[in-house]
Amino acid sequence: MADLTDKQTFSDEDALEFHRTPTPGKISMAPTKPMATQRDLSLAYSPGVAIPVLAIADDVDKAYDYTSKGNLVAVISNGTAILGLGNLGHMASKPVMEGKCVLFKRFADVDSFDVEVKTTDPDEFVTVVKNIGDTWGGINLEDIKSPECFVIESQLQDLLDIPVFHDDQHGTAIISTAGLINAAHIAGKKLEDLKVVLAGAGAAGLSSIALMKAAGVRAENTVIVDRDGVVYKGRANVDQWKAAHATDTPHRTLAEAMVGADVVLGLSAKGAITKEMVASMAPDPIIFAMANPDPEITPEDVLSVRSDAIMATGRSDYVNQVNNVLGFPYIFRGALDVRARRVNHEMKIACARALAALAREDVPDEVAAAYRGRKLKFGRDYIIPTPFDPRLIWYIPPFVAQAAMDTGVARKPIEDMDAYRTQLRSRLDPSAALMQNISAAVRAAPNKRVVFAEGEETAVIRAAWAFKQAELGTPILLGREELIRKNAAEAGLIFDDMGIEIVNARVSEHNADYTDWLYARLQRRGYLRRDVQRMINQDRNYFAAAMCARGQADCMVTGVTRNFNMVLKEVRRVLDVRNRMIGVSILLAKGRTLFVADTSIHELPNAEELAEIAIQAAATVRKLGKTPRVAFLSYSTFGNPPGDRGEKVREAIRILDQRGVDFEYEGEMPPELALDPEARAAYPFMRLSGHANVLVMPAIHSAAISTRLVQQLGGATVIGPLLVGLEKSVQIVSLGASVSEIITAATFAAYDEGAVVEG
């Protein structure tokens, strides 16, 4: 077991300041409908609101159609068991409940607000929640002490027709079961053969052992231990929830129970598990020490006595964190989307198995970025996905939803699960819907051969693998085969029978042909034959571009190890410009898709270049299935105030007028005039029929600054710059690009005239 930690510290004042400024608390409300005009207000409230009121009065299920109920979860507590701090009262629980609401929104786009109930009486609590429960599509109970939490959850689930889920019980159970499935796999053990000891028989512990039994652990192979010792059959003073898990066993202490055990689940307190207990366990012991804030035993102490242990804790500063945020957002996402009446055992098992399966997949670079560059790979130190894995939102909920449908608790079954996954991607990633359309068009077109010029780089290898797995085309990796296969194996990827080609420029059968062809092209530009031979033999950008030019590949991706200008200069020596070459960035924000040009080629374009940039950008946008409406942006509005840059834009407009192009265009204008139809009312002569979706910038610097500014401050997603205009499709990513960025570039590179996206 490796000792991988990522210690993060902050002071008490840091925590208080975070919650206090700039606005107290962690949540606020934002309207989902416009509130800018009298008509908006009339529709939102009186008299327009009366129409949905009457519709819901006739059919209460219409509340899902006309209100936010279908995406709304309540986080409810009485504060009797706040984190590891105990019973501190209902208002003391409010920061935790607000935090839970933030996590719902951040990870699953579920709207949520908190309710703190001022009572410790279970019956009174149930009465309060029962009477207001129909407000939401689901209820997340939180920080309610055991055994009252069992009674409260059970009664509310019977009284209400929506999912009621006590996360302290089931969240930990789901995540720890997922971890156990993978830990057993790594240890070469079967669930049904595992001897499992539970240290801590509270709500989370009992739910965890119950779910693990449902997943395959045999009841007779389990032992649970509370503060009074082993819960064995016949023991006095044991409540009904513990008694349900009592076994016939001679053991009476935790130390005795752990001798020869395969698994120990710690959900008790710091120090409950000792080194001696760990040393007595079976080979390859699985130790989940999940007490917070301090585990029953630290990974360091385990490592000092057992190098073969597979370890997990509840803390984020150690590997394998059992974190409930991996469960509850996606359980509710799936449950809400089928309008489930409850969260049942089958849905929880489905979630656990899906989490276990996801952990075995290749981990995206975005996760490494969130964990300070630490490379995560399925194994002893990575048995559970991390909370920042972007795939969780679309990977987990479909399994939960399917289980709800299969068990008859879904009121609104999902007919097209693939379409549902696409919709889930779009919830947190604005680029997902666009990329789904592009990818579908690429798959439908003839198979494209995409050469990845920097094929020895691990990120490039992983991108090529994912590209092939997604059936987007045939990847060709340039580089030394031995090194590529070595780096692939270290990343957990085996290329056998995958259909991924590997080409070494130095020994390629096409080497001489490329050299002859390129020398004929460059011999009058000062290049000697030996110069060209060196380019082909030693520089993969030249070789990759030659592959495209000579027909051994259709397109290429490069740029991970070399800056944009240098790469473009090399590629341009091999490939001609077909049309005006420009860079187009795609900007997705607030439900809009905008195309910005030129973002990579023309530093200070003149009027003729601006006109051609507009023509090329409009053609690109039309190819992507959109109707282009071009706005030439400027600091001035139709000549006011005057200036040289504004005059160049006006000249570009005159050039387009003379050419009679087949798309809408207008300028010069500031951004607000291009994007807001109401702002254009003062200019009746404007020719745009709606808001512009193609923004032609007056210079590269303004394009770069504006796109990066909205990305940083406005939360926009920016794709590109995408290079268009060369005779063969070439995409140049940024230095050190992530796997997902390389895949996106490869997908656009593979996109050709035969792959048309429907608008």
Side-chain angles (χ1 to χ4, degrees):
M1 183 187 73
D3 180 22
L4 295 176
T5 62
D6 183 18
K7 301 291 185 183
Q8 298 180 20
T9 60
F10 52 81
S11 68
D12 291 354
E13 185 55 37
D14 288 337
L16 293 173
E17 187 68 10
F18 176 86
H19 284 78
R20 181 170 54 233
T21 60
T23 302
K26 297 189 284 284
I27 59 175
S28 65
M29 188 189 79
T32 61
K33 301 295 189 294
M35 296 292 163
T37 67
Q38 180 62 42
R39 183 176 185 276
D40 294 338
L41 296 179
S42 296
L43 286 168
Y45 198 54
S46 182
V49 74
I51 310 304
V53 166
L54 294 173
I56 295 170
D58 289 339
D59 179 359
V60 292
D61 279 348
K62 291 293 184 184
Y64 284 100
D65 298 321
Y66 301 129
T67 76
S68 60
K69 176 182 172 81
N71 194 50
L72 191 61
V73 167
V75 178
I76 305 181
S77 180
N78 62 3
T80 53
I82 304 173
L83 300 175
L85 303 174
N87 184 357
L88 300 180
H90 69 293
M91 285 311 296
S93 75
K94 189 170 178 66
V96 182
M97 302 310 114
E98 284 191 355
K100 198 83 169 191
C101 295
V102 171
L103 297 179
F104 265 117
K105 190 65 177 178
R106 162 62 179 83
F107 290 103
D109 194 29
V110 171
D111 294 322
S112 177
F113 65 85
D114 57 301
V115 178
E116 289 74 38
V117 182
K118 187 181 180 181
T119 182
T120 58
D121 181 86
D123 293 333
E124 188 175 3
F125 187 98
V126 168
T127 299
V128 170
V129 177
K130 176 194 72 173
N131 289 329
I132 60 176
D134 286 344
T135 301
W136 304 283
I139 292 174
N140 183 104
L141 299 174
E142 192 80 13
D143 288 357
I144 302 170
K145 72 183 182 72
S146 172
E148 288 91 332
C149 61
F150 300 118
V151 176
I152 288 171
E153 183 192 46
S154 177
Q155 290 188 11
L156 285 174
Q157 188 64 86
D158 290 340
L159 291 166
L160 295 172
D161 200 28
I162 58 173
V164 178
F165 181 87
H166 184 216
D167 186 49
D168 299 304
Q169 295 180 55
H170 309 302
T172 301
I174 290 166
I175 314 311
S176 60
T177 299
L180 182 66
I181 291 169
N182 279 341
H185 173 80
I186 291 167
K189 301 177 181 182
K190 297 179 179 179
L191 290 181
E192 58 266 30
D193 297 332
L194 293 177
K195 295 180 179 179
V196 180
V197 177
L198 168 64
L206 294 178
S207 293
S208 295
I209 202 72
L211 198 65
M212 289 175 183
K213 288 178 184 179
V217 173
R218 291 178 180 172
E220 62 268 26
N221 288 345
T222 65
V223 176
I224 66 170
V225 185
D226 64 11
R227 67 185 62 188
D228 297 320
V230 171
V231 178
Y232 56 89
K233 284 188 175 180
R235 198 184 99 175
N237 300 319
V238 176
D239 64 43
Q240 67 188 79
W241 295 282
K242 293 180 185 178
H245 299 285
T247 53
D248 286 320
T249 174
H251 305 312
R252 294 295 181 264
T253 66
L254 178 61
E256 292 175 4
M258 284 182 61
V259 175
D262 297 292
V263 181
V264 61
L265 307 173
L267 284 155
S268 53
K270 177 183 179 181
I273 299 173
T274 66
K275 292 182 181 181
E276 291 74 20
M277 295 177 187
V278 171
S280 73
M281 294 180 72
D284 295 303
I286 299 167
I287 301 163
F288 289 3
M290 297 176 282
N292 263 323
D294 297 306
E296 288 81 359
I297 185 170
T298 66
E300 292 89 348
D301 283 345
V302 170
L303 183 62
S304 71
V305 293
R306 296 299 294 262
S307 61
D308 60 341
I310 300 173
M311 180 84 183
T313 72
R315 290 177 52 151
S316 61
D317 51 358
Y318 290 112
V319 299
N320 296 329
Q321 183 192 15
V322 178
N323 190 332
N324 284 17
V325 79
L326 289 166
F328 69 84
Y330 312 110
I331 281 275
F332 273 99
R333 181 74 273 156
L336 290 171
D337 291 338
V338 294
R339 297 183 186 175
R341 299 181 185 277
R342 62 179 61 241
V343 172
N344 58 29
H345 229 43
E346 291 82 0
M347 294 162 73
K348 289 178 274 186
I349 288 290
C351 184
R353 287 176 175 157
L355 285 167
L358 181 60
R360 302 186 193 195
E361 302 283 345
D362 186 39
V363 183
D365 284 355
E366 291 86 344
V367 175
Y371 286 85
R372 301 182 182 181
R374 195 176 85 213
K375 173 59 182 166
L376 302 175
K377 178 184 173 184
F378 180 64
R380 291 174 178 266
D381 296 319
Y382 179 68
I383 60 173
I384 309 169
T386 69
F388 292 100
D389 192 320
R391 300 168 298 178
L392 286 161
I393 179 62
W394 60 263
Y395 194 98
I396 307 301
F399 288 96
V400 176
Q402 187 65 56
M405 292 156 55
D406 293 343
T407 55
V409 299
R411 275 177 284 210
K412 186 184 177 184
I414 294 169
E415 296 181 1
D416 186 340
M417 202 58 77
D418 288 335
Y420 176 51
R421 290 187 182 91
T422 299
Q423 177 227 325
L424 289 171
R425 285 177 185 262
S426 301
R427 279 189 172 274
L428 297 181
D429 180 5
S431 67
L434 173 67
M435 289 310 302
Q436 183 71 18
N437 288 342
I438 298 297
S439 298
V442 169
R443 289 190 193 97
N447 185 59
K448 295 299 177 188
R449 297 162 299 167
V450 183
V451 56
F452 293 76
E454 298 143 311
E456 295 174 356
E457 299 296 314
T458 301
V460 176
I461 294 169
R462 291 170 56 210
W465 170 276
F467 188 81
K468 182 64 178 180
Q469 289 280 82
E471 299 179 345
L472 293 168
T474 299
I476 303 170
L477 290 168
L478 281 192
R480 292 161 289 182
E481 182 168 359
E482 182 180 352
L483 181 56
I484 290 174
R485 291 192 179 277
K486 174 178 175 293
N487 290 342
E490 289 178 357
L493 308 176
I494 306 299
F495 281 1
D496 294 341
D497 301 323
M498 268 293 294
I500 296 176
E501 298 179 24
I502 299 175
V503 174
N504 186 335
R506 283 184 177 273
V507 298
S508 169
E509 61 180 337
H510 299 291
N511 192 293
D513 172 60
Y514 293 169
T515 300
D516 291 342
W517 177 83
L518 187 58
Y519 178 60
R521 178 181 171 86
L522 298 179
Q523 60 189 352
R524 294 181 181 275
R525 302 187 203 175
Y527 291 91
L528 300 176
R529 183 179 179 81
R530 65 170 179 267
D531 299 326
V532 174
Q533 193 165 37
R534 184 172 59 250
M535 291 175 183
I536 294 297
N537 281 340
Q538 300 181 10
D539 195 305
R540 291 172 192 147
N541 285 326
Y542 286 108
F543 192 91
M547 287 183 72
C548 295
R550 302 297 286 166
Q552 277 73 52
D554 297 297
C555 47
M556 67 177 280
V557 178
T558 184
V560 174
T561 62
R562 206 170 296 182
N563 72 59
F564 181 93
N565 290 331
M566 183 180 296
V567 172
L568 183 61
K569 187 179 295 184
E570 292 168 348
V571 170
R572 284 280 289 106
R573 292 190 180 112
V574 183
L575 299 173
D576 290 327
V577 174
R578 180 180 56 201
N579 298 305
R580 171 67 62 176
M581 187 169 60
I582 65 169
V584 177
S585 293
I586 305 175
L587 192 155
L588 303 106
K590 296 185 177 180
R592 285 186 177 182
T593 302
L594 302 175
F595 301 85
V596 184
D598 169 27
T599 52
S600 61
I601 303 298
H602 299 86
E603 185 174 359
L604 287 170
N606 57 34
E608 180 70 27
E609 290 169 335
L610 284 171
E612 292 185 4
I613 288 169
I615 293 170
Q616 182 71 299
T620 300
V621 169
R622 181 169 281 131
K623 181 181 170 187
L624 292 171
K626 306 287 185 182
T627 300
R629 289 187 294 274
V630 177
F632 289 83
L633 296 192
S634 174
Y635 66 92
S636 62
T637 306
F638 300 117
N640 183 27
D644 290 342
R645 294 307 303 169
E647 179 54 39
K648 289 181 181 179
V649 173
R650 291 190 289 278
E651 178 60 24
I653 294 292
R654 289 191 286 270
I655 292 171
L656 292 182
D657 289 343
Q658 293 168 2
R659 293 191 182 182
V661 296
D662 62 349
F663 56 85
E664 295 181 14
Y665 57 92
E666 188 58 281
E668 80 280 18
M669 66 181 76
E672 64 271 20
L673 203 54
L675 301 176
D676 184 1
E678 292 187 10
R680 298 199 295 272
Y683 302 90
F685 54 83
M686 282 194 65
R687 295 176 286 195
L688 296 181
S689 61
H691 72 263
N693 57 5
V694 181
L695 307 180
V696 176
M697 294 291 187
I700 280 184
H701 63 270
S702 57
I705 291 170
S706 59
T707 52
R708 291 173 187 171
L709 191 61
V710 296
Q711 189 173 22
Q712 291 299 315
L713 297 182
T717 297
V718 178
I719 299 174
L722 304 172
L723 187 63
V724 297
L726 283 173
E727 63 172 314
K728 293 290 184 178
S729 183
V730 176
Q731 293 303 328
I732 305 173
V733 299
S734 58
L735 278 167
S738 69
V739 171
S740 62
E741 289 170 333
I742 300 168
I743 296 169
T744 296
T747 305
F748 274 100
Y751 185 76
D752 69 355
E753 295 297 333
V756 178
V757 174
E758 299 298 328

CSV table of all heavy atoms in Angstrom, one decimal, residues 9 20 22 108 113 231 238 245 269-270 301 362 422 482 547 551 588 614 637 663 697 709 732:
chain,number,residue,atom,x,y,z
A,9,THR,N,-4.5,22.4,4.6
A,9,THR,CA,-4.8,23.0,5.9
A,9,THR,C,-5.4,24.3,5.7
A,9,THR,O,-5.1,25.0,4.7
A,9,THR,CB,-3.5,23.1,6.8
A,9,THR,OG1,-2.5,23.9,6.1
A,9,THR,CG2,-2.9,21.7,7.0
A,20,ARG,N,-18.7,33.7,5.6
A,20,ARG,CA,-19.2,35.1,5.9
A,20,ARG,C,-19.2,36.0,4.7
A,20,ARG,O,-20.1,36.8,4.5
A,20,ARG,CB,-18.4,35.7,7.0
A,20,ARG,CG,-18.8,37.1,7.4
A,20,ARG,CD,-18.1,37.5,8.7
A,20,ARG,NE,-16.7,37.4,8.6
A,20,ARG,CZ,-15.9,36.8,9.5
A,20,ARG,NH1,-16.4,36.1,10.5
A,20,ARG,NH2,-14.6,36.7,9.3
A,22,PRO,N,-18.4,36.9,0.3
A,22,PRO,CA,-18.9,38.3,0.2
A,22,PRO,C,-20.4,38.4,0.7
A,22,PRO,O,-20.9,39.4,1.0
A,22,PRO,CB,-18.8,38.7,-1.2
A,22,PRO,CG,-18.9,37.4,-1.9
A,22,PRO,CD,-18.3,36.3,-1.1
A,108,ALA,N,-24.6,17.4,-9.7
A,108,ALA,CA,-25.6,16.8,-10.4
A,108,ALA,C,-26.7,17.7,-11.0
A,108,ALA,O,-27.7,17.3,-11.5
A,108,ALA,CB,-26.3,15.7,-9.6
A,113,PHE,N,-32.8,23.1,-1.4
A,113,PHE,CA,-32.7,24.0,-0.3
A,113,PHE,C,-32.9,23.3,1.0
A,113,PHE,O,-33.4,22.2,1.1
A,113,PHE,CB,-33.6,25.2,-0.4
A,113,PHE,CG,-35.1,24.9,-0.3
A,113,PHE,CD1,-35.8,24.8,0.9
A,113,PHE,CD2,-35.8,24.8,-1.5
A,113,PHE,CE1,-37.1,24.6,0.9
A,113,PHE,CE2,-37.2,24.6,-1.5
A,113,PHE,CZ,-37.8,24.4,-0.3
A,231,VAL,N,-21.8,-8.2,18.5
A,231,VAL,CA,-23.3,-8.4,18.6
A,231,VAL,C,-23.5,-9.8,18.1
A,231,VAL,O,-23.5,-10.1,16.9
A,231,VAL,CB,-24.0,-7.4,17.7
A,231,VAL,CG1,-25.5,-7.7,17.7
A,231,VAL,CG2,-23.7,-6.0,18.1
A,238,VAL,N,-29.9,-5.5,22.9
A,238,VAL,CA,-29.5,-5.2,21.5
A,238,VAL,C,-30.8,-4.8,20.8
A,238,VAL,O,-31.8,-5.5,20.9
A,238,VAL,CB,-28.9,-6.4,20.8
A,238,VAL,CG1,-28.7,-6.1,19.4
A,238,VAL,CG2,-27.6,-6.8,21.5
A,245,HIS,N,-28.6,-8.2,12.4
A,245,HIS,CA,-27.3,-8.6,11.8
A,245,HIS,C,-26.4,-9.4,12.8
A,245,HIS,O,-25.2,-9.7,12.5
A,245,HIS,CB,-26.5,-7.3,11.5
A,245,HIS,CG,-27.2,-6.5,10.4
A,245,HIS,ND1,-27.2,-6.8,9.1
A,245,HIS,CD2,-27.9,-5.3,10.5
A,245,HIS,CE1,-27.9,-5.9,8.4
A,245,HIS,NE2,-28.3,-5.0,9.3
A,269,ALA,N,-14.7,5.3,15.9
A,269,ALA,CA,-14.0,6.4,16.5
A,269,ALA,C,-12.5,6.2,16.3
A,269,ALA,O,-12.0,5.1,16.2
A,269,ALA,CB,-14.4,6.6,18.0
A,270,LYS,N,-11.8,7.3,16.4
A,270,LYS,CA,-10.3,7.3,16.4
A,270,LYS,C,-9.7,6.3,17.3
A,270,LYS,O,-10.1,6.2,18.5
A,270,LYS,CB,-9.8,8.7,16.7
A,270,LYS,CG,-8.3,8.8,16.7
A,270,LYS,CD,-7.8,10.2,17.1
A,270,LYS,CE,-6.3,10.4,17.1
A,270,LYS,NZ,-5.9,11.7,17.5
A,301,ASP,N,-0.1,4.0,10.0
A,301,ASP,CA,0.1,2.9,10.9
A,301,ASP,C,-0.2,1.6,10.3
A,301,ASP,O,0.5,0.6,10.6
A,301,ASP,CB,-0.9,3.1,12.1
A,301,ASP,CG,-0.4,4.2,13.1
A,301,ASP,OD1,0.8,4.6,13.0
A,301,ASP,OD2,-1.3,4.7,13.9
A,362,ASP,N,-10.2,4.3,-17.7
A,362,ASP,CA,-9.1,5.3,-17.8
A,362,ASP,C,-9.6,6.6,-17.2
A,362,ASP,O,-10.7,7.1,-17.5
A,362,ASP,CB,-8.6,5.5,-19.2
A,362,ASP,CG,-7.4,6.3,-19.3
A,362,ASP,OD1,-6.5,6.2,-18.5
A,362,ASP,OD2,-7.3,7.1,-20.3
A,422,THR,N,-26.7,11.7,-23.1
A,422,THR,CA,-26.3,13.0,-23.7
A,422,THR,C,-26.8,14.2,-23.0
A,422,THR,O,-26.1,15.2,-22.8
A,422,THR,CB,-26.8,13.0,-25.2
A,422,THR,OG1,-26.2,11.9,-25.9
A,422,THR,CG2,-26.4,14.3,-25.9
A,482,GLU,N,8.1,0.5,-29.5
A,482,GLU,CA,8.4,-0.1,-28.2
A,482,GLU,C,8.0,0.9,-27.1
A,482,GLU,O,7.4,0.6,-26.0
A,482,GLU,CB,9.9,-0.4,-28.1
A,482,GLU,CG,10.3,-1.0,-26.8
A,482,GLU,CD,11.8,-1.4,-26.7
A,482,GLU,OE1,12.5,-1.3,-27.8
A,482,GLU,OE2,12.3,-1.7,-25.7
A,547,MET,N,2.0,12.5,-44.6
A,547,MET,CA,1.1,11.4,-44.6
A,547,MET,C,-0.3,11.8,-45.1
A,547,MET,O,-0.9,11.2,-45.9
A,547,MET,CB,0.9,10.7,-43.2
A,547,MET,CG,2.1,9.9,-42.7
A,547,MET,SD,1.7,9.1,-41.1
A,547,MET,CE,0.6,7.9,-41.6
A,551,GLY,N,-1.8,10.8,-48.8
A,551,GLY,CA,-3.0,9.9,-48.8
A,551,GLY,C,-2.9,8.8,-47.9
A,551,GLY,O,-3.8,7.9,-47.8
A,588,LEU,N,-19.4,28.8,-25.5
A,588,LEU,CA,-20.7,28.3,-25.0
A,588,LEU,C,-20.9,28.9,-23.7
A,588,LEU,O,-20.2,28.7,-22.7
A,588,LEU,CB,-20.7,26.8,-25.0
A,588,LEU,CG,-20.4,26.1,-26.3
A,588,LEU,CD1,-19.1,25.4,-26.2
A,588,LEU,CD2,-21.5,25.0,-26.6
A,614,ALA,N,-14.7,36.6,-42.3
A,614,ALA,CA,-16.2,36.5,-42.1
A,614,ALA,C,-16.7,35.4,-43.1
A,614,ALA,O,-17.6,34.5,-42.6
A,614,ALA,CB,-16.9,37.8,-42.4
A,637,THR,N,-19.8,52.2,-32.8
A,637,THR,CA,-21.1,51.8,-33.3
A,637,THR,C,-21.4,52.6,-34.6
A,637,THR,O,-21.8,53.8,-34.5
A,637,THR,CB,-22.2,52.1,-32.2
A,637,THR,OG1,-21.8,51.5,-31.0
A,637,THR,CG2,-23.6,51.5,-32.7
A,663,PHE,N,-25.0,35.1,-46.5
A,663,PHE,CA,-25.3,35.0,-45.1
A,663,PHE,C,-25.5,36.5,-44.6
A,663,PHE,O,-25.1,37.4,-45.2
A,663,PHE,CB,-24.2,34.4,-44.3
A,663,PHE,CG,-22.8,35.0,-44.5
A,663,PHE,CD1,-22.4,36.1,-43.8
A,663,PHE,CD2,-21.9,34.5,-45.5
A,663,PHE,CE1,-21.1,36.7,-44.0
A,663,PHE,CE2,-20.7,35.1,-45.7
A,663,PHE,CZ,-20.3,36.2,-45.0
A,697,MET,N,-13.7,39.5,-34.9
A,697,MET,CA,-12.9,40.4,-34.0
A,697,MET,C,-12.0,41.3,-34.9
A,697,MET,O,-11.5,40.8,-35.9
A,697,MET,CB,-12.1,39.6,-33.0
A,697,MET,CG,-13.0,38.9,-32.0
A,697,MET,SD,-13.8,40.1,-30.9
A,697,MET,CE,-14.6,39.0,-29.7
A,709,LEU,N,-11.4,36.2,-21.0
A,709,LEU,CA,-12.1,36.9,-19.9
A,709,LEU,C,-13.5,36.3,-19.6
A,709,LEU,O,-13.8,36.1,-18.4
A,709,LEU,CB,-12.3,38.4,-20.4
A,709,LEU,CG,-12.7,39.4,-19.3
A,709,LEU,CD1,-11.7,39.5,-18.2
A,709,LEU,CD2,-12.9,40.8,-19.9
A,732,ILE,N,-4.3,22.0,-34.2
A,732,ILE,CA,-3.1,22.2,-33.3
A,732,ILE,C,-3.6,22.6,-31.9
A,732,ILE,O,-4.3,23.6,-31.7
A,732,ILE,CB,-2.3,23.4,-33.9
A,732,ILE,CG1,-1.9,23.1,-35.3
A,732,ILE,CG2,-1.0,23.5,-33.0
A,732,ILE,CD1,-1.1,24.2,-36.0
